Amino acid sequence: MSAPSQPVRRAPWTVRVAAWSSRHRWPVVAAWFVCTLGLFAASLAMGGTRSEDAVSDDTRARRESAQAWEVYAAGGRVEPQARLVVVASTPVGRMDEPANAAAIGGIVDRLKSLEVTVPGAAALVVAFREVTNPLLAPPEFGLVSPDGSTVQIVAMAFGEGAETDAKLAPIPGLMRELRAANPGLDLHGLNGSLANDEISELVTSDLDSSLRLTIPLTFLILLIAFGAVVAALVPLVLAMTALAAAFGLLGIYSQSVAPVSPYAGQLIVLIGLAVAVDYSLFMLTRYRTERRRHGTNPPRPRIGFGKGWLMERGNSAEKLRAIEAASSTAGRAVFFSGLAVMISIAGLLMLDDPLFRSMAIGTIAVVFISVIGSLTFLPATLAILGNGIDGGRIPFLGRDRREGSGAWGRVVRAVMRRPFLAAFATSAFLLAMAFPVTRLHIGQSDFSSFPDSLDAVQAVNLIDQKWPQGSTLELFVVVTNADQEATQAAIDRFKAAVLAIDRVSEPADDRLSPDGTVGLVFFTLAGSSNDYANWDIVREVRSSVVPAVFGGLDGVRAYVTGSAASTLDITGFYADGMPLVFVFVLGLSFLLLLVAFHSIVIPIKAIILNLLSTGAAYGLLVLVFQEGWFAGILGFKPGVIEAFVPIFIFTILFGLSMDYHVFILTRIKEARDRGMSSNDAVARGISITAGTITSAAAIMIVVFAVFVTLQLVIVRQLGFGLAVAIFLDATVVRSILLPATMRLLGDWNWWMPRWLSWLPKVTIEGPVSEPEDLPARA
């Protein structure tokens, strides 16, 4: 009697995709280039990426500070206008001296006579209809510094859109002309639109600089990791095409949906280059391991590419089997890792912020494209190259090593001999580094946080220096029913009460909306919009002064706004949204690992380990960028941590950490399922992945560290936080804390409550050939 036939187990879908891509290798590779480069070309044809200002007054979803301007706008349309401030200072003497006064008069006359051609206008028009000579203005205007050495020339250009852009366009050239004509004066121009143009140019320049550094450094690390030129080039090709496609999608989104953050492009490079190369590294390492395991590599030349390196010389069936094995193991790990990264970054979509949303969309896009390329483009490329993937072998770098050998293997074995000591010491170390996060001060970047090379930044610095009591930071209060006598009397009492608050100064004035129903009261504050003292003033005005003065008037509402109020609301917006993002990311990541590894201990421990490395990154971020450690060496101005940076670091780091965690646990579970004890499987899984993890982490650290060298502090904070976190995650956490905790827990690592047995068993590891040094299942 014949034995019953066994059901044929269907190959995992990643294997089926890889096999199909391998069989249709040339069309798949061609389609990849057409699609990725085509998306980029399509976005260029649509006008490229449309971005918002780097420093903007857009206060959507910003609570009271946004409502204030909406209420004031309801009082009638105010003629749109752009404000230009020319700051003039003399190093010696006063500005009211005859020579300096004549120079100021000449600058004022030059601004008044400036004519431009406005789009749609038939003739030249005067750019600035109102220009104030500070030496002739009333003292309460505050246009002359207390020491008399500096003045502010205020000019107003009326209009909006293309009209305002045309009127402001000659200003950079005019400023150069005025500096040449007045060499004894220090002259700087300050206008939001022009400053954002300077910042946009800086962002583009930084982006180009980062690519010029990261690509060669990444190639060098890949060359060391693979020991072959071709193997080092393939991940870079995938990364660059994935970046092109992501930039294309971001550009199309910006043109058809909404403008995007100016930092979105930086983040695409920051994350895209790292994950695309990492995923390629995982896939190529496993493919080469499978080929080597079955002895299908041809004799290697000592150096160079050798004869016919592009042609497959080995067994075609063995080549395809190696591709399928890599796709069944590393390919599935890449899929789950990419899914974890995208889930983490998707947590940013929980925040109702259009610019934040654009950064999340761009980052998710590049990760998604990298995963697709790893599962389709890489198998097709390997099918074309075959043994040619080892073309261009480098002596010494290209030597084969036994899996699990090397320094990290010895570290893991030493850790597992003393797991409690290793776990306690590393946990204490990470918690100590995380402690400074208790002093975290988040805020919002203003012009002063940008490099001093920008003219607008020099203008702001000079104003802050010469007007220490404050002159550019204003506190606005919008009051309804301002046309009533009782309200007018209350506004007068309100101004007196606010001026009595420390750090609030003149000029204190008010004006009515065009229809006279809404009043705008404004005051001057000292310091910056990120100062805790100014936030306290906003809170006091909102919670005490406004209710005391306007509380008894029926139908009268007062809204407090201005830069300090807006910054307070923005930081509150992100602080309030952070728990929601944390719950979303941690919850979905927990479910993903629960289903993938069918263990409740694995996801809980993964979350704890990731939170430790995140906390340490936060603590070091505070020490360096907030408290100024190494500020002189790194060349930046200490200040607040940008409000969105902690959330972004958390979501990105949590996702990227899952790359390593899933990759390591896949090999551990693979060994355990073949009969090894839990402890032996842990030692083997971490030892044989340590080299790949080290190379992958080195690439990420290099990519992120390059961004620390750029000029924008926001990007520096992101790059530093991620570089430090990945370094700690790949060394302290994955190579010490992970094996120590898994050794302490033993078989409890794989415990699953019976009441969760209904969950689907979706495994990451797939069937692969048994390595020779793995004992058979008893």
Side-chain angles (χ1 to χ4, degrees), residues 264-279:
Q266 300 259 15
L267 290 170
I268 285 178
V269 174
L270 188 73
I271 306 304
L273 192 58
V275 299
V277 172
D278 266 17
Y279 295 162

Side-chain angles (χ1 to χ4, degrees), residues 535-576:
W535 292 3
D536 289 339
I537 291 172
V538 173
R539 293 190 185 100
E540 182 178 353
V541 172
R542 285 176 172 174
S543 62
S544 301
V545 182
V546 166
V549 175
F550 299 106
L553 300 177
D554 293 336
V556 176
R557 295 288 306 275
Y559 304 86
V560 181
T561 186
S563 296
S566 178
T567 300
L568 174 63
D569 288 346
I570 288 171
T571 55
F573 170 78
Y574 288 122
D576 293 344

Side-chain angles (χ1 to χ4, degrees), residues 204-218 240 269 273 706-707 710-711:
T204 302
S205 173
D206 272 359
L207 194 59
D208 294 340
S209 299
S210 67
L211 288 174
R212 284 194 296 268
L213 281 172
T214 52
I215 292 176
L217 290 173
T218 300
M240 297 308 295
V269 174
L273 192 58
V706 165
F707 278 74
L710 304 184
Q711 299 184 68

